[in-house]
Amino acid sequence: MHGELRVAIVIHAFYMDAFDEILDLAQALPAQYKLFVTTVPVHEAVVRARLDGAGRDYSLGVFENRGRDVLPFLRMFPAVRSEGFDLIVKIHTKKSPHLKDGDGWRRMLVSALLQPEKLQGLTSAFAQDPWLGVVGPDGHFLSLARYMGGNETRVIAIAQRLGLGRPQVLDAGYCAGTMFMARTEIITPLVDLGFTAKDFEAEANQVDGTMAHAFERCLSLGAVALNRRIASSADPFVHARFNDSYAFARRPSRLHFSALLNSSFKMARDSVGSALRRILFRAG
């Protein structure tokens, strides 16, 4: 019998039409799922009114428009941790106007994590498997070696502060779109590094190379540092496989062949172990 895990839904609300869609999904969740919502000053009154109308327990943080969804998440995280939540679902009102189907991308990511039956199943998987650290939407787990973009210097520097070397980073992956479900303990090491607003650029519609883009690639590194598994929403009992032909990426960065080869061996090895754990857990 596994203890019940407490789940916080952390939402960055920047685009109000997308926030309405997310709030509609959240309304279908049981009452114990608390909402932690961040927004910018210009939207505070609207967001607060919509949350009050939803009748759910929530906390609202209002921050300047800096660091996209990442900096507000880092700022809201201490409140989530202080209230003793075990798991976090991080989502946001992503639009990606530089892409042809940014709205479709967002809906795909949010749906994979927040549909009630899906979220219940993922929560159960975390309860059953203590080695499960992060779950990302199916098909959106990317190789850092292949999809680093213009962020390598910052990503390596952050990783080193977590005790990870460059080879470990290039062997790892990340959840594209910065939407995922994770244990609180996975995010704690990154937050404890003490990054502030001064470390993030002013918003200028950048499509790569900012601190927010670097953090997108670092938010799963806590799982690497703590030796926890990163899985896909399609099957949280096996290691997520890299999508090496990602439809939403602008273009792959320099390919580190040896790192990708090592990753393939690592995933094959982990998949065997994870499959055995899945059989045991489901039989239990």
Side-chain angles (χ1 to χ4, degrees), residues 57-97:
D57 186 20
Y58 73 87
S59 291
L60 178 62
V62 182
F63 308 108
E64 65 176 312
N65 184 25
R66 196 178 191 94
R68 306 282 171 91
D69 57 292
V70 174
L71 180 58
F73 174 69
L74 298 179
R75 287 174 157 178
M76 181 60 88
F77 181 83
V80 175
R81 180 169 53 180
S82 70
E83 294 189 31
F85 284 91
D86 304 288
L87 303 172
I88 288 177
V89 177
K90 182 196 175 301
I91 54 178
H92 59 108
T93 60
K94 187 176 186 67
K95 285 276 189 177
S96 300

mmCIF file of all heavy atoms in Angstrom, residues 57-97:
data_model
loop_
_atom_site.group_PDB
_atom_site.id
_atom_site.type_symbol
_atom_site.label_atom_id
_atom_site.label_comp_id
_atom_site.label_asym_id
_atom_site.label_seq_id
_atom_site.Cartn_x
_atom_site.Cartn_y
_atom_site.Cartn_z
ATOM 1 N N ASP A 57 -8.693 25.826 -4.472
ATOM 2 C CA ASP A 57 -7.612 26.318 -3.638
ATOM 3 C C ASP A 57 -6.447 26.720 -4.541
ATOM 4 O O ASP A 57 -6.035 25.953 -5.419
ATOM 5 C CB ASP A 57 -7.169 25.220 -2.668
ATOM 6 C CG ASP A 57 -6.145 25.699 -1.648
ATOM 7 O OD1 ASP A 57 -6.045 26.923 -1.436
ATOM 8 O OD2 ASP A 57 -5.448 24.837 -1.080
ATOM 9 N N TYR A 58 -5.922 27.920 -4.346
ATOM 10 C CA TYR A 58 -4.822 28.367 -5.200
ATOM 11 C C TYR A 58 -3.935 29.355 -4.461
ATOM 12 O O TYR A 58 -4.333 29.984 -3.480
ATOM 13 C CB TYR A 58 -5.364 29.019 -6.485
ATOM 14 C CG TYR A 58 -5.973 30.396 -6.313
ATOM 15 C CD1 TYR A 58 -5.173 31.552 -6.368
ATOM 16 C CD2 TYR A 58 -7.337 30.558 -6.103
ATOM 17 C CE1 TYR A 58 -5.722 32.818 -6.215
ATOM 18 C CE2 TYR A 58 -7.902 31.818 -5.953
ATOM 19 C CZ TYR A 58 -7.088 32.943 -6.010
ATOM 20 O OH TYR A 58 -7.633 34.194 -5.862
ATOM 21 N N SER A 59 -2.715 29.482 -4.970
ATOM 22 C CA SER A 59 -1.799 30.558 -4.597
ATOM 23 C C SER A 59 -1.436 31.288 -5.881
ATOM 24 O O SER A 59 -1.218 30.656 -6.917
ATOM 25 C CB SER A 59 -0.536 30.009 -3.929
ATOM 26 O OG SER A 59 -0.817 29.463 -2.662
ATOM 27 N N LEU A 60 -1.360 32.615 -5.819
ATOM 28 C CA LEU A 60 -1.059 33.413 -6.993
ATOM 29 C C LEU A 60 0.196 34.237 -6.754
ATOM 30 O O LEU A 60 0.303 34.955 -5.760
ATOM 31 C CB LEU A 60 -2.236 34.339 -7.334
ATOM 32 C CG LEU A 60 -2.031 35.278 -8.530
ATOM 33 C CD1 LEU A 60 -1.819 34.491 -9.812
ATOM 34 C CD2 LEU A 60 -3.221 36.228 -8.670
ATOM 35 N N GLY A 61 1.156 34.140 -7.674
ATOM 36 C CA GLY A 61 2.359 34.955 -7.630
ATOM 37 C C GLY A 61 2.391 35.878 -8.833
ATOM 38 O O GLY A 61 2.142 35.437 -9.962
ATOM 39 N N VAL A 62 2.672 37.154 -8.608
ATOM 40 C CA VAL A 62 2.692 38.143 -9.687
ATOM 41 C C VAL A 62 4.118 38.661 -9.840
ATOM 42 O O VAL A 62 4.684 39.226 -8.893
ATOM 43 C CB VAL A 62 1.712 39.295 -9.395
ATOM 44 C CG1 VAL A 62 1.720 40.299 -10.559
ATOM 45 C CG2 VAL A 62 0.309 38.752 -9.169
ATOM 46 N N PHE A 63 4.686 38.464 -11.036
ATOM 47 C CA PHE A 63 6.082 38.810 -11.274
ATOM 48 C C PHE A 63 6.216 39.556 -12.600
ATOM 49 O O PHE A 63 5.366 39.438 -13.475
ATOM 50 C CB PHE A 63 6.951 37.547 -11.307
ATOM 51 C CG PHE A 63 6.778 36.655 -10.119
ATOM 52 C CD1 PHE A 63 6.111 35.437 -10.228
ATOM 53 C CD2 PHE A 63 7.260 37.032 -8.872
ATOM 54 C CE1 PHE A 63 5.946 34.608 -9.134
ATOM 55 C CE2 PHE A 63 7.102 36.210 -7.775
ATOM 56 C CZ PHE A 63 6.448 34.996 -7.887
ATOM 57 N N GLU A 64 7.297 40.288 -12.738
ATOM 58 C CA GLU A 64 7.542 40.994 -13.992
ATOM 59 C C GLU A 64 7.697 40.000 -15.139
ATOM 60 O O GLU A 64 7.990 38.818 -14.932
ATOM 61 C CB GLU A 64 8.812 41.844 -13.875
ATOM 62 C CG GLU A 64 10.093 41.027 -13.679
ATOM 63 C CD GLU A 64 11.343 41.877 -13.663
ATOM 64 O OE1 GLU A 64 11.491 42.719 -14.573
ATOM 65 O OE2 GLU A 64 12.156 41.715 -12.731
ATOM 66 N N ASN A 65 7.499 40.483 -16.348
ATOM 67 C CA ASN A 65 7.611 39.631 -17.536
ATOM 68 C C ASN A 65 9.079 39.447 -17.881
ATOM 69 O O ASN A 65 9.636 40.100 -18.766
ATOM 70 C CB ASN A 65 6.857 40.260 -18.714
ATOM 71 C CG ASN A 65 6.874 39.357 -19.940
ATOM 72 O OD1 ASN A 65 7.022 38.141 -19.828
ATOM 73 N ND2 ASN A 65 6.721 39.951 -21.109
ATOM 74 N N ARG A 66 9.689 38.511 -17.174
ATOM 75 C CA ARG A 66 11.120 38.240 -17.332
ATOM 76 C C ARG A 66 11.350 36.748 -17.094
ATOM 77 O O ARG A 66 10.792 36.165 -16.175
ATOM 78 C CB ARG A 66 11.915 39.066 -16.326
ATOM 79 C CG ARG A 66 13.414 39.175 -16.612
ATOM 80 C CD ARG A 66 14.084 40.057 -15.565
ATOM 81 N NE ARG A 66 15.444 40.397 -15.923
ATOM 82 C CZ ARG A 66 15.818 41.502 -16.564
ATOM 83 N NH1 ARG A 66 14.891 42.383 -16.925
ATOM 84 N NH2 ARG A 66 17.081 41.728 -16.853
ATOM 85 N N GLY A 67 12.177 36.154 -17.942
ATOM 86 C CA GLY A 67 12.470 34.734 -17.745
ATOM 87 C C GLY A 67 11.359 33.810 -18.171
ATOM 88 O O GLY A 67 11.312 32.656 -17.710
ATOM 89 N N ARG A 68 10.465 34.312 -19.046
ATOM 90 C CA ARG A 68 9.368 33.491 -19.578
ATOM 91 C C ARG A 68 8.608 32.792 -18.445
ATOM 92 O O ARG A 68 8.256 33.397 -17.449
ATOM 93 C CB ARG A 68 9.907 32.491 -20.609
ATOM 94 C CG ARG A 68 10.728 33.116 -21.742
ATOM 95 C CD ARG A 68 9.863 33.750 -22.789
ATOM 96 N NE ARG A 68 10.636 34.514 -23.752
ATOM 97 C CZ ARG A 68 11.138 34.026 -24.891
ATOM 98 N NH1 ARG A 68 10.982 32.740 -25.190
ATOM 99 N NH2 ARG A 68 11.797 34.820 -25.715
ATOM 100 N N ASP A 69 8.382 31.480 -18.598
ATOM 101 C CA ASP A 69 7.717 30.707 -17.555
ATOM 102 C C ASP A 69 8.695 30.171 -16.523
ATOM 103 O O ASP A 69 8.287 29.708 -15.455
ATOM 104 C CB ASP A 69 6.975 29.523 -18.178
ATOM 105 C CG ASP A 69 7.925 28.638 -18.995
ATOM 106 O OD1 ASP A 69 8.399 29.115 -20.053
ATOM 107 O OD2 ASP A 69 8.214 27.497 -18.583
ATOM 108 N N VAL A 70 10.005 30.258 -16.817
ATOM 109 C CA VAL A 70 11.008 29.607 -15.979
ATOM 110 C C VAL A 70 11.265 30.383 -14.688
ATOM 111 O O VAL A 70 11.213 29.814 -13.587
ATOM 112 C CB VAL A 70 12.324 29.408 -16.754
ATOM 113 C CG1 VAL A 70 13.412 28.875 -15.831
ATOM 114 C CG2 VAL A 70 12.115 28.463 -17.922
ATOM 115 N N LEU A 71 11.570 31.669 -14.792
ATOM 116 C CA LEU A 71 11.857 32.447 -13.594
ATOM 117 C C LEU A 71 10.668 32.491 -12.637
ATOM 118 O O LEU A 71 10.847 32.296 -11.419
ATOM 119 C CB LEU A 71 12.322 33.856 -13.973
ATOM 120 C CG LEU A 71 12.659 34.793 -12.811
ATOM 121 C CD1 LEU A 71 13.757 34.213 -11.919
ATOM 122 C CD2 LEU A 71 13.080 36.170 -13.342
ATOM 123 N N PRO A 72 9.430 32.709 -13.115
ATOM 124 C CA PRO A 72 8.292 32.628 -12.195
ATOM 125 C C PRO A 72 8.178 31.266 -11.505
ATOM 126 O O PRO A 72 7.806 31.190 -10.329
ATOM 127 C CB PRO A 72 7.089 32.892 -13.106
ATOM 128 C CG PRO A 72 7.640 33.721 -14.207
ATOM 129 C CD PRO A 72 9.021 33.175 -14.454
ATOM 130 N N PHE A 73 8.507 30.200 -12.229
ATOM 131 C CA PHE A 73 8.480 28.864 -11.629
ATOM 132 C C PHE A 73 9.502 28.750 -10.502
ATOM 133 O O PHE A 73 9.195 28.232 -9.416
ATOM 134 C CB PHE A 73 8.763 27.818 -12.708
ATOM 135 C CG PHE A 73 8.898 26.411 -12.191
ATOM 136 C CD1 PHE A 73 7.796 25.729 -11.691
ATOM 137 C CD2 PHE A 73 10.116 25.756 -12.210
ATOM 138 C CE1 PHE A 73 7.911 24.420 -11.222
ATOM 139 C CE2 PHE A 73 10.251 24.456 -11.754
ATOM 140 C CZ PHE A 73 9.139 23.790 -11.254
ATOM 141 N N LEU A 74 10.718 29.251 -10.729
ATOM 142 C CA LEU A 74 11.739 29.218 -9.687
ATOM 143 C C LEU A 74 11.305 30.031 -8.470
ATOM 144 O O LEU A 74 11.585 29.660 -7.322
ATOM 145 C CB LEU A 74 13.066 29.764 -10.228
ATOM 146 C CG LEU A 74 13.703 29.000 -11.395
ATOM 147 C CD1 LEU A 74 15.000 29.678 -11.820
ATOM 148 C CD2 LEU A 74 13.951 27.548 -11.045
ATOM 149 N N ARG A 75 10.607 31.131 -8.721
ATOM 150 C CA ARG A 75 10.160 31.990 -7.614
ATOM 151 C C ARG A 75 8.987 31.382 -6.845
ATOM 152 O O ARG A 75 8.855 31.599 -5.636
ATOM 153 C CB ARG A 75 9.756 33.364 -8.167
ATOM 154 C CG ARG A 75 10.931 34.226 -8.595
ATOM 155 C CD ARG A 75 10.477 35.501 -9.252
ATOM 156 N NE ARG A 75 11.495 36.542 -9.182
ATOM 157 C CZ ARG A 75 11.364 37.744 -9.718
ATOM 158 N NH1 ARG A 75 10.257 38.072 -10.369
ATOM 159 N NH2 ARG A 75 12.326 38.644 -9.599
ATOM 160 N N MET A 76 8.136 30.638 -7.533
ATOM 161 C CA MET A 76 6.980 30.032 -6.870
ATOM 162 C C MET A 76 7.339 28.729 -6.168
ATOM 163 O O MET A 76 6.676 28.319 -5.202
ATOM 164 C CB MET A 76 5.879 29.776 -7.903
ATOM 165 C CG MET A 76 4.594 29.177 -7.345
ATOM 166 S SD MET A 76 3.803 30.230 -6.092
ATOM 167 C CE MET A 76 2.786 31.271 -7.131
ATOM 168 N N PHE A 77 8.418 28.095 -6.594
ATOM 169 C CA PHE A 77 8.769 26.783 -6.061
ATOM 170 C C PHE A 77 8.901 26.746 -4.544
ATOM 171 O O PHE A 77 8.433 25.778 -3.909
ATOM 172 C CB PHE A 77 10.057 26.277 -6.711
ATOM 173 C CG PHE A 77 10.473 24.917 -6.231
ATOM 174 C CD1 PHE A 77 9.921 23.769 -6.771
ATOM 175 C CD2 PHE A 77 11.413 24.776 -5.219
ATOM 176 C CE1 PHE A 77 10.287 22.515 -6.316
ATOM 177 C CE2 PHE A 77 11.790 23.532 -4.759
ATOM 178 C CZ PHE A 77 11.227 22.394 -5.312
ATOM 179 N N PRO A 78 9.535 27.741 -3.877
ATOM 180 C CA PRO A 78 9.629 27.665 -2.412
ATOM 181 C C PRO A 78 8.274 27.539 -1.720
ATOM 182 O O PRO A 78 8.168 26.857 -0.695
ATOM 183 C CB PRO A 78 10.330 28.979 -2.043
ATOM 184 C CG PRO A 78 11.161 29.291 -3.246
ATOM 185 C CD PRO A 78 10.309 28.882 -4.408
ATOM 186 N N ALA A 79 7.234 28.164 -2.273
ATOM 187 C CA ALA A 79 5.900 28.037 -1.685
ATOM 188 C C ALA A 79 5.378 26.612 -1.828
ATOM 189 O O ALA A 79 4.771 26.059 -0.897
ATOM 190 C CB ALA A 79 4.939 29.026 -2.351
ATOM 191 N N VAL A 80 5.618 26.002 -2.979
ATOM 192 C CA VAL A 80 5.210 24.612 -3.196
ATOM 193 C C VAL A 80 5.934 23.697 -2.215
ATOM 194 O O VAL A 80 5.317 22.837 -1.563
ATOM 195 C CB VAL A 80 5.520 24.185 -4.650
ATOM 196 C CG1 VAL A 80 5.202 22.705 -4.859
ATOM 197 C CG2 VAL A 80 4.740 25.044 -5.641
ATOM 198 N N ARG A 81 7.229 23.902 -2.083
ATOM 199 C CA ARG A 81 8.023 23.065 -1.185
ATOM 200 C C ARG A 81 7.610 23.256 0.262
ATOM 201 O O ARG A 81 7.501 22.281 1.025
ATOM 202 C CB ARG A 81 9.513 23.379 -1.379
ATOM 203 C CG ARG A 81 10.436 22.565 -0.488
ATOM 204 C CD ARG A 81 11.894 22.716 -0.896
ATOM 205 N NE ARG A 81 12.337 24.105 -0.981
ATOM 206 C CZ ARG A 81 13.569 24.462 -1.326
ATOM 207 N NH1 ARG A 81 14.467 23.548 -1.628
ATOM 208 N NH2 ARG A 81 13.898 25.728 -1.375
ATOM 209 N N SER A 82 7.354 24.501 0.664
ATOM 210 C CA SER A 82 7.012 24.772 2.065
ATOM 211 C C SER A 82 5.686 24.145 2.473
ATOM 212 O O SER A 82 5.458 23.858 3.647
ATOM 213 C CB SER A 82 6.977 26.283 2.317
ATOM 214 O OG SER A 82 5.872 26.883 1.667
ATOM 215 N N GLU A 83 4.801 23.927 1.494
ATOM 216 C CA GLU A 83 3.513 23.301 1.795
ATOM 217 C C GLU A 83 3.559 21.781 1.712
ATOM 218 O O GLU A 83 2.537 21.111 1.865
ATOM 219 C CB GLU A 83 2.428 23.861 0.873
ATOM 220 C CG GLU A 83 2.141 25.341 1.123
ATOM 221 C CD GLU A 83 0.923 25.848 0.381
ATOM 222 O OE1 GLU A 83 -0.014 25.033 0.167
ATOM 223 O OE2 GLU A 83 0.882 27.041 0.041
ATOM 224 N N GLY A 84 4.743 21.251 1.454
ATOM 225 C CA GLY A 84 4.930 19.806 1.554
ATOM 226 C C GLY A 84 4.438 18.986 0.381
ATOM 227 O O GLY A 84 4.161 17.787 0.546
ATOM 228 N N PHE A 85 4.354 19.579 -0.811
ATOM 229 C CA PHE A 85 3.927 18.805 -1.973
ATOM 230 C C PHE A 85 5.040 17.888 -2.441
ATOM 231 O O PHE A 85 6.207 18.273 -2.490
ATOM 232 C CB PHE A 85 3.482 19.742 -3.095
ATOM 233 C CG PHE A 85 2.126 20.346 -2.847
ATOM 234 C CD1 PHE A 85 2.010 21.551 -2.183
ATOM 235 C CD2 PHE A 85 0.975 19.697 -3.261
ATOM 236 C CE1 PHE A 85 0.768 22.105 -1.926
ATOM 237 C CE2 PHE A 85 -0.272 20.242 -3.010
ATOM 238 C CZ PHE A 85 -0.378 21.453 -2.348
ATOM 239 N N ASP A 86 4.653 16.673 -2.799
ATOM 240 C CA ASP A 86 5.628 15.662 -3.229
ATOM 241 C C ASP A 86 5.945 15.775 -4.718
ATOM 242 O O ASP A 86 7.059 15.496 -5.142
ATOM 243 C CB ASP A 86 5.081 14.254 -2.954
ATOM 244 C CG ASP A 86 4.713 14.051 -1.506
ATOM 245 O OD1 ASP A 86 5.632 13.954 -0.674
ATOM 246 O OD2 ASP A 86 3.504 14.000 -1.204
ATOM 247 N N LEU A 87 4.941 16.141 -5.494
ATOM 248 C CA LEU A 87 5.061 16.163 -6.950
ATOM 249 C C LEU A 87 4.605 17.504 -7.504
ATOM 250 O O LEU A 87 3.724 18.162 -6.922
ATOM 251 C CB LEU A 87 4.213 15.057 -7.584
ATOM 252 C CG LEU A 87 4.493 13.616 -7.149
ATOM 253 C CD1 LEU A 87 3.437 12.685 -7.730
ATOM 254 C CD2 LEU A 87 5.881 13.180 -7.581
ATOM 255 N N ILE A 88 5.184 17.872 -8.633
ATOM 256 C CA ILE A 88 4.825 19.104 -9.325
ATOM 257 C C ILE A 88 4.475 18.770 -10.765
ATOM 258 O O ILE A 88 5.189 17.997 -11.419
ATOM 259 C CB ILE A 88 6.002 20.104 -9.324
ATOM 260 C CG1 ILE A 88 6.220 20.685 -7.930
ATOM 261 C CG2 ILE A 88 5.772 21.230 -10.320
ATOM 262 C CD1 ILE A 88 7.415 21.630 -7.862
ATOM 263 N N VAL A 89 3.379 19.347 -11.249
ATOM 264 C CA VAL A 89 3.098 19.357 -12.677
ATOM 265 C C VAL A 89 3.334 20.789 -13.144
ATOM 266 O O VAL A 89 2.654 21.708 -12.707
ATOM 267 C CB VAL A 89 1.653 18.933 -12.994
ATOM 268 C CG1 VAL A 89 1.384 19.039 -14.501
ATOM 269 C CG2 VAL A 89 1.387 17.518 -12.509
ATOM 270 N N LYS A 90 4.325 20.981 -14.004
ATOM 271 C CA LYS A 90 4.655 22.321 -14.492
ATOM 272 C C LYS A 90 4.129 22.494 -15.913
ATOM 273 O O LYS A 90 4.542 21.772 -16.830
ATOM 274 C CB LYS A 90 6.167 22.557 -14.485
ATOM 275 C CG LYS A 90 6.538 23.962 -14.934
ATOM 276 C CD LYS A 90 7.998 24.095 -15.292
ATOM 277 C CE LYS A 90 8.306 25.473 -15.861
ATOM 278 N NZ LYS A 90 7.518 25.780 -17.101
ATOM 279 N N ILE A 91 3.230 23.460 -16.094
ATOM 280 C CA ILE A 91 2.681 23.753 -17.413
ATOM 281 C C ILE A 91 2.585 25.262 -17.579
ATOM 282 O O ILE A 91 2.698 26.016 -16.610
ATOM 283 C CB ILE A 91 1.294 23.101 -17.623
ATOM 284 C CG1 ILE A 91 0.341 23.499 -16.500
ATOM 285 C CG2 ILE A 91 1.401 21.591 -17.710
ATOM 286 C CD1 ILE A 91 -1.043 22.935 -16.649
ATOM 287 N N HIS A 92 2.384 25.703 -18.806
ATOM 288 C CA HIS A 92 2.263 27.146 -19.034
ATOM 289 C C HIS A 92 1.516 27.419 -20.338
ATOM 290 O O HIS A 92 1.264 26.500 -21.133
ATOM 291 C CB HIS A 92 3.635 27.830 -19.027
ATOM 292 C CG HIS A 92 4.599 27.337 -20.045
ATOM 293 N ND1 HIS A 92 4.947 28.070 -21.153
ATOM 294 C CD2 HIS A 92 5.309 26.178 -20.137
ATOM 295 C CE1 HIS A 92 5.840 27.400 -21.866
ATOM 296 N NE2 HIS A 92 6.070 26.247 -21.272
ATOM 297 N N THR A 93 1.169 28.676 -20.541
ATOM 298 C CA THR A 93 0.320 29.060 -21.672
ATOM 299 C C THR A 93 1.155 29.325 -22.914
ATOM 300 O O THR A 93 1.064 30.387 -23.539
ATOM 301 C CB THR A 93 -0.526 30.296 -21.317
ATOM 302 O OG1 THR A 93 0.370 31.389 -20.990
ATOM 303 C CG2 THR A 93 -1.436 30.027 -20.138
ATOM 304 N N LYS A 94 1.953 28.361 -23.279
ATOM 305 C CA LYS A 94 2.912 28.490 -24.378
ATOM 306 C C LYS A 94 2.207 28.799 -25.689
ATOM 307 O O LYS A 94 1.233 28.142 -26.051
ATOM 308 C CB LYS A 94 3.705 27.189 -24.495
ATOM 309 C CG LYS A 94 4.847 27.224 -25.479
ATOM 310 C CD LYS A 94 5.590 25.895 -25.409
ATOM 311 C CE LYS A 94 6.830 25.928 -26.267
ATOM 312 N NZ LYS A 94 7.839 26.860 -25.753
ATOM 313 N N LYS A 95 2.717 29.786 -26.425
ATOM 314 C CA LYS A 95 2.178 30.126 -27.744
ATOM 315 C C LYS A 95 3.170 29.844 -28.865
ATOM 316 O O LYS A 95 2.794 29.437 -29.952
ATOM 317 C CB LYS A 95 1.795 31.613 -27.791
ATOM 318 C CG LYS A 95 0.500 31.944 -27.047
ATOM 319 C CD LYS A 95 -0.705 31.687 -27.924
ATOM 320 C CE LYS A 95 -1.972 32.210 -27.284
ATOM 321 N NZ LYS A 95 -3.148 32.025 -28.147
ATOM 322 N N SER A 96 4.459 30.117 -28.634
ATOM 323 C CA SER A 96 5.497 29.923 -29.646
ATOM 324 C C SER A 96 5.078 30.505 -30.991
ATOM 325 O O SER A 96 4.907 29.772 -31.982
ATOM 326 C CB SER A 96 5.835 28.435 -29.800
ATOM 327 O OG SER A 96 6.307 27.911 -28.588
ATOM 328 N N PRO A 97 4.906 31.833 -31.090
ATOM 329 C CA PRO A 97 4.427 32.441 -32.335
ATOM 330 C C PRO A 97 5.371 32.259 -33.518
ATOM 331 O O PRO A 97 4.954 32.448 -34.661
ATOM 332 C CB PRO A 97 4.284 33.924 -31.964
ATOM 333 C CG PRO A 97 5.129 34.117 -30.750
ATOM 334 C CD PRO A 97 5.103 32.823 -30.015
#
